Amino acid sequence: MTVEVLYFAWMRERVGHPRETVQTDAATPRALIAELAALSEGHAAAFADGAVVRCAVDQVLTDLDAPLGQPREVAFFPPMTGG
Amino acid sequence: MTVEVLYFAWMRERVGHPRETVQTDAATPRALIAELAALSEGHAAAFADGAVVRCAVDQVLTDLDAPLGQPREVAFFPPMTGG
Amino acid sequence: MVARVQALPFDLSAEMAGFGVGAGAVVTFTGVVRDDGGDLAALEIEHYPGMTEAALRDHGLTAAARFGLSDWRIVHRFGRIPVGGPIMMVATAARHRRSAFDGADFLMDWLKSRAPFWKREIARDGSASWVAARAADEDALSRW
Amino acid sequence: MVARVQALPFDLSAEMAGFGVGAGAVVTFTGVVRDDGGDLAALEIEHYPGMTEAALRDHGLTAAARFGLSDWRIVHRFGRIPVGGPIMMVATAARHRRSAFDGADFLMDWLKSRAPFWKREIARDGSASWVAARAADEDALSRW
């Protein structure tokens, strides 16, 4: 499937761009991360600490091990710091 | 001693006036209440339910059984309902 | 660091001008005359002139020390206040939100049952009745 | 019942005009850029366009149902905000003060660690560093 992947904050900086279109058959966000981390050194650096990676699937916060389904958009980002 | 006694809210209404000057040797607010309650039917009605009487001695909230000392002003009123 | 008792309405935005400069967190509470059943026309609030402002100020200082407030403000009205009108406000400023929230909460619990104000409800037909103290307010104060 | 994300500053008094009519208790929280050590020039806030407003609205509705809020408002800025500038606000209205306080408190705990915003500190010398999430914020959320 074709998925739009978005990055925010320092993960965006490490990857080097805010979004990209990828082809994937990943079953979970965590499996998608493994594929993305292999794309470049920047990607690897962005995902180096799995403990801090947060994820939204089609703009809904989602656990990294939840079924990915057929999303249009998957976003990865560090823990939020709003308010 | 001479003490200015003040009443508020429905205790003021029952007594019939907002303040009066009394001569007393009461040792505590509770002893002063006993003297005041004997002054009139209105006073008796104001102090009929001792459980709801609150007191300030020289404008500081005070327990009914605390020593009265030599105050200038003693106020009696029902439980406060501010805010 | 302001405690004020007044008959006139207050304006929240005017009260907040210059309030808490340098703080990271500002909390305000405003109490308004609520019409529960459609019968209420106004509240009439009596207070203890002389004692009230001093008591408010003392308690503001207590809250500031206890919760590390960098600024605080208490404004409470007396006299007749129609349904929908503002009764009182507190504002607190602190470095972090927990202090500001707790400071405002504490001030409100105190105001409800220790500040020398008494409310009377004036119905549309002109009849009046004193508001009874709520046990819940006394309980709330025991939290602190 | 308003959730808004914007670059421009907001004005608390303008936000509160007509807010919570009929309620007895109104609470507001305002977050401001605090200068701790004198080195900070501004915050720069990134967000997730598309997701952010929907997430704020969902959570406002959740809080309204849970705490019985008759009105609520969330405004959060993004982009560059200088020291002393307002970052965000929430307002809650309810019949009684406990609901209004708890609703605002709950919304803030959620915003701190679940709303898609990321803060970067811009120092006076131009250097920038992302703000790390605080464990205390995560703990605060677990209260609810």
Side-chain angles (χ1 to χ4, degrees):
Chain A
M1 61 186 168
T2 304
V3 175
E4 192 76 3
V5 178
L6 281 66
Y7 306 100
F8 290 100
W10 55 259
M11 294 188 60
R12 170 180 54 70
E13 292 181 330
R14 290 188 187 177
V15 166
H17 43 255
R19 60 197 304 151
E20 59 195 330
T21 306
V22 302
Q23 297 293 327
T24 180
D25 293 310
T28 64
R30 198 181 296 280
L32 179 55
I33 287 172
E35 296 175 12
L36 296 169
L39 291 178
S40 76
E41 279 186 27
H43 286 81
F47 291 114
D49 182 1
V52 301
V53 179
R54 301 290 182 270
C55 170
V57 175
D58 283 336
Q59 306 190 351
V60 174
L61 291 178
T62 303
D63 191 88
L64 295 184
D65 296 310
L68 191 54
Q70 303 281 326
R72 189 182 57 80
E73 177 177 307
V74 178
F76 293 103
F77 39 81
M80 293 83 111
T81 54
Chain B
M1 59 186 169
T2 304
V3 176
E4 192 76 3
V5 178
L6 281 66
Y7 307 100
F8 290 99
W10 54 259
M11 294 188 61
R12 170 180 54 71
E13 292 181 331
R14 291 187 186 177
V15 167
H17 43 255
R19 60 197 304 150
E20 60 195 330
T21 306
V22 302
Q23 296 293 326
T24 180
D25 292 310
T28 64
R30 198 182 296 280
L32 178 55
I33 288 172
E35 296 174 13
L36 295 168
L39 292 179
S40 76
E41 280 186 28
H43 286 80
F47 290 115
D49 181 0
V52 302
V53 179
R54 301 290 182 272
C55 171
V57 175
D58 282 337
Q59 306 190 350
V60 173
L61 292 178
T62 303
D63 191 89
L64 294 183
D65 296 310
L68 191 55
Q70 303 282 325
R72 189 182 57 79
E73 177 175 306
V74 178
F76 294 104
F77 39 81
M80 293 83 111
T81 54
Chain C
M1 321 276 189
V2 169
R4 220 168 62 237
V5 183
Q6 63 186 38
L8 288 173
F10 58 85
D11 178 57
L12 181 65
S13 56
E15 299 294 339
M16 299 313 288
F19 180 81
V21 171
V26 175
V27 168
T28 72
F29 177 92
T30 309
V32 179
V33 182
R34 185 186 69 233
D35 183 5
D36 271 339
D39 289 337
L40 189 69
L43 285 185
E44 213 164 72
I45 300 181
E46 182 170 335
H47 78 115
Y48 185 167
M51 176 173 170
T52 316
E53 290 208 15
L56 299 185
R57 192 165 47 248
D58 281 355
H59 208 69
L61 293 170
T62 298
R66 177 160 175 183
F67 298 99
L69 306 180
S70 61
D71 203 355
W72 55 270
R73 179 167 291 232
I74 306 171
V75 180
H76 204 302
R77 294 174 67 191
F78 62 90
R80 189 183 177 97
I81 308 175
V83 165
I87 303 169
M88 49 72 58
M89 59 156 288
V90 304
T92 54
R95 289 169 53 83
H96 296 292
R97 72 185 186 286
R98 189 73 264 134
S99 303
F101 268 119
D102 287 350
D105 208 350
F106 172 78
L107 285 174
M108 285 308 305
D109 282 347
W110 177 81
L111 279 165
K112 283 280 173 184
S113 51
R114 290 293 182 276
F117 294 96
W118 299 272
K119 288 198 189 98
R120 193 159 54 156
E121 294 181 338
I122 313 295
R124 290 197 182 165
D125 64 9
S127 63
S129 59
W130 292 98
V131 172
R134 298 168 64 227
D137 286 330
E138 194 62 36
D139 294 346
L141 195 59
S142 69
R143 293 186 296 149
W144 302 103
Chain D
M1 323 277 189
V2 169
R4 221 169 61 236
V5 183
Q6 63 187 38
L8 288 173
F10 57 85
D11 177 58
L12 181 64
S13 56
E15 299 294 338
M16 300 312 289
F19 180 83
V21 172
V26 175
V27 168
T28 72
F29 177 93
T30 309
V32 180
V33 182
R34 184 186 70 232
D35 184 3
D36 270 340
D39 289 337
L40 189 69
L43 285 186
E44 213 164 72
I45 300 181
E46 183 171 333
H47 78 114
Y48 186 167
M51 176 173 170
T52 316
E53 290 207 14
L56 298 185
R57 191 165 48 247
D58 282 355
H59 209 68
L61 293 170
T62 299
R66 177 161 173 182
F67 298 98
L69 306 180
S70 60
D71 203 354
W72 55 269
R73 180 167 290 233
I74 306 172
V75 180
H76 204 302
R77 293 174 67 192
F78 62 90
R80 189 182 178 96
I81 308 176
V83 165
I87 303 169
M88 48 71 58
M89 61 157 287
V90 304
T92 54
R95 288 169 54 83
H96 297 292
R97 72 186 186 285
R98 189 73 264 134
S99 303
F101 269 120
D102 286 349
D105 209 350
F106 171 78
L107 285 175
M108 284 309 303
D109 282 348
W110 176 82
L111 280 165
K112 283 280 174 184
S113 50
R114 290 292 182 277
F117 293 97
W118 300 272
K119 289 198 190 97
R120 195 158 54 156
E121 294 181 338
I122 314 295
R124 289 196 183 167
D125 64 8
S127 63
S129 60
W130 292 98
V131 172
R134 296 167 65 226
D137 286 331
E138 194 61 36
D139 294 347
L141 195 58
S142 69
R143 292 187 296 149
W144 303 102

